[in-house]
Amino acid sequence: MQSNETILKVNHLKINFNTYAGTVKAIRDVSFDLKKGETLAIVGESGSGKTVTTRSIMGLLANNAVVEGGSIQFHGKNVLKMSQKDLEGLRGAKIAQIFQDPMTSLDPTMRIGRQIAEPLMVHRGVKKEKAMSQALEMMKLVGITDAENRINDYPHQFSGGMRQRIVIAIALINYPEILIADEPTTALDVTIQAQILNLMRELQDKISTSIIFITHDLGVVAGMADRVAVMYAGKIVEYGTVDEIFYNPKHPYTWGLLSSMPTLDTHSEELASIPGTPPDLLDPPKGDAFAPRNPYALKIDTERQPPFFKVSNTHYAATWLLHPDAPQVTPPKQIIERQKKFAEMQREAAAKNQHHQIEEEEEQQ
């Protein structure tokens, strides 16, 4: 159940990587927050900075990474200033992560029961017998069939979908406050993908964990997230509730992502693509990084980075198209259809609220 308590706050985060070719400005002033019990999806193409952002929350940056500025506040404590010992106490206990490929996350030489139980023994000092008993319960909770007999099996004896369930069990055994899921369903087929997403939703309801869900697939986000942050070239370019991003997007990059996503109504010739490639972050552009790929780009886009413009109390987008003096542009056909649906949803919600108010007033009389 989502609450209004903010447990994580990322402020003006800037991260560079020192390479032989020069300094890569990977994260360029990223800010967002996470509330207790909510799911925040971070979406964008490969290389947009999604994984680097979330690895910094765990204190898992590479040796050549340099935090140029900003802070990551977890319950008011700056993760970036924590000692190695404090970080080790944080990882797996209060903040856990599910990685993309379960086979690289599991020790092939260790039985899975022991792997699930290990975080309990390391972080909470639970004795082996009790930890194994709790591992068995967690195996059942994540839907591993015949758990009593399979607790002593090795990772290679499980299917890809079952291995991902084991990784989720390891991440959740300590009931962490934040679960970071880094493309957790990419390596799975569509049917297993749906099962894993349903499982994560069910477990979130049971243990009130907040989830940061990283994906390049907007289709996965629709039924999973409460809020969405769209990333491009190391910056968040739009964020809002899942309905606002899906049905009333304002940034041309979000338009491109949504237009390239097939739906049941899509005809094969209608599917769009975003032209060009993301910019080289060794030398980021002076203006809007998306401008060279943006068919709606204005002259100012090549000269100045756009600030965030407010669309609603929960919806902001960094595009000069929202400036009062900007010319009116017509979004792609798919986006216009989405905006019509959004307006219809808002009308229905308003009518429903009005109906409830009338009923309450009648009851009071």
Side-chain angles (χ1 to χ4, degrees), residues 209-322:
T209 293
S210 303
I211 297 175
I212 298 176
F213 196 94
I214 306 168
T215 183
H216 63 271
D217 183 354
L218 269 167
V220 167
V221 169
M224 190 73 197
D226 299 301
R227 286 190 300 143
V228 181
V230 181
M231 278 194 85
Y232 184 77
K235 293 174 80 78
I236 290 174
V237 296
E238 184 166 10
Y239 63 90
T241 66
V242 68
D243 282 347
E244 286 169 335
I245 297 300
F246 263 81
Y247 296 111
N248 193 31
K250 294 298 182 185
H251 197 287
Y253 179 59
T254 316
W255 293 352
L257 290 177
L258 287 164
S259 299
S260 62
M261 187 178 82
T263 68
L264 293 173
D265 301 321
T266 305
H267 300 295
S268 57
E269 68 274 7
E270 286 181 345
L271 208 57
S273 63
I274 302 173
T277 56
D280 182 359
L281 294 182
L282 279 165
D283 184 23
K286 184 171 68 169
D288 184 350
F290 188 58
R293 306 174 71 187
N294 180 7
Y296 306 91
L298 307 172
K299 185 172 183 291
I300 193 171
D301 280 310
T302 60
E303 297 163 358
R304 287 171 58 194
Q305 289 184 21
F308 274 110
F309 291 93
K310 182 178 177 178
V311 182
S312 76
N313 287 335
T314 52
H315 188 187
Y316 293 81
T319 169
W320 287 115
L321 291 177
L322 291 176

Side-chain angles (χ1 to χ4, degrees), residues 89-329:
L90 188 74
R91 297 183 201 125
K94 294 176 180 173
I95 304 176
Q97 184 154 2
I98 303 167
F99 295 97
Q100 189 174 127
D101 182 3
M103 207 54 188
T104 59
S105 308
L106 296 168
D107 185 335
T109 67
M110 191 188 291
R111 298 177 197 276
I112 63 113
R114 177 60 191 258
Q115 294 194 55
I116 297 169
E118 196 168 46
L120 282 173
M121 295 187 278
V122 170
H123 291 290
R124 304 208 188 279
V126 177
K127 294 283 187 286
K128 184 182 175 184
E129 191 177 332
K130 189 178 178 186
M132 290 298 285
S133 171
Q134 287 181 241
L136 179 62
E137 290 308 308
M138 184 56 78
M139 285 175 69
K140 292 175 182 174
L141 191 64
V142 299
I144 295 171
T145 50
D146 197 20
E148 286 89 352
N149 293 321
R150 304 220 65 185
I151 194 166
N152 290 317
D153 285 353
Y154 291 94
H156 72 270
Q157 294 173 276
F158 291 84
S159 66
M162 283 295 155
R163 282 198 292 264
Q164 194 60 291
R165 287 171 188 264
I166 293 163
V167 171
I168 291 170
I170 294 168
L172 292 178
I173 193 72
N174 274 315
Y175 286 56
E177 292 184 63
I178 297 173
L179 178 66
I180 297 170
D182 190 350
E183 308 245 16
T185 58
T186 302
L188 306 174
D189 67 53
V190 177
T191 309
I192 304 300
Q193 184 181 80
Q195 289 175 9
I196 295 296
L197 293 175
N198 285 333
L199 170 67
M200 288 177 68
R201 278 193 294 269
E202 287 167 15
L203 292 172
Q204 185 179 32
D205 287 340
K206 286 176 183 172
I207 66 175
S208 296
T209 293
S210 303
I211 297 175
I212 298 176
F213 196 94
I214 306 168
T215 183
H216 63 271
D217 183 354
L218 269 167
V220 167
V221 169
M224 190 73 197
D226 299 301
R227 286 190 300 143
V228 181
V230 181
M231 278 194 85
Y232 184 77
K235 293 174 80 78
I236 290 174
V237 296
E238 184 166 10
Y239 63 90
T241 66
V242 68
D243 282 347
E244 286 169 335
I245 297 300
F246 263 81
Y247 296 111
N248 193 31
K250 294 298 182 185
H251 197 287
Y253 179 59
T254 316
W255 293 352
L257 290 177
L258 287 164
S259 299
S260 62
M261 187 178 82
T263 68
L264 293 173
D265 301 321
T266 305
H267 300 295
S268 57
E269 68 274 7
E270 286 181 345
L271 208 57
S273 63
I274 302 173
T277 56
D280 182 359
L281 294 182
L282 279 165
D283 184 23
K286 184 171 68 169
D288 184 350
F290 188 58
R293 306 174 71 187
N294 180 7
Y296 306 91
L298 307 172
K299 185 172 183 291
I300 193 171
D301 280 310
T302 60
E303 297 163 358
R304 287 171 58 194
Q305 289 184 21
F308 274 110
F309 291 93
K310 182 178 177 178
V311 182
S312 76
N313 287 335
T314 52
H315 188 187
Y316 293 81
T319 169
W320 287 115
L321 291 177
L322 291 176
H323 192 280
D325 297 334
Q328 292 294 311
V329 300

Side-chain angles (χ1 to χ4, degrees), residues 9-30:
K9 202 164 183 59
V10 176
N11 289 309
H12 303 295
L13 186 65
K14 295 177 184 176
I15 299 172
N16 299 338
F17 286 91
N18 294 325
T19 70
Y20 291 117
T23 301
V24 177
K25 293 178 169 57
I27 304 299
R28 306 184 302 135
D29 198 4
V30 163

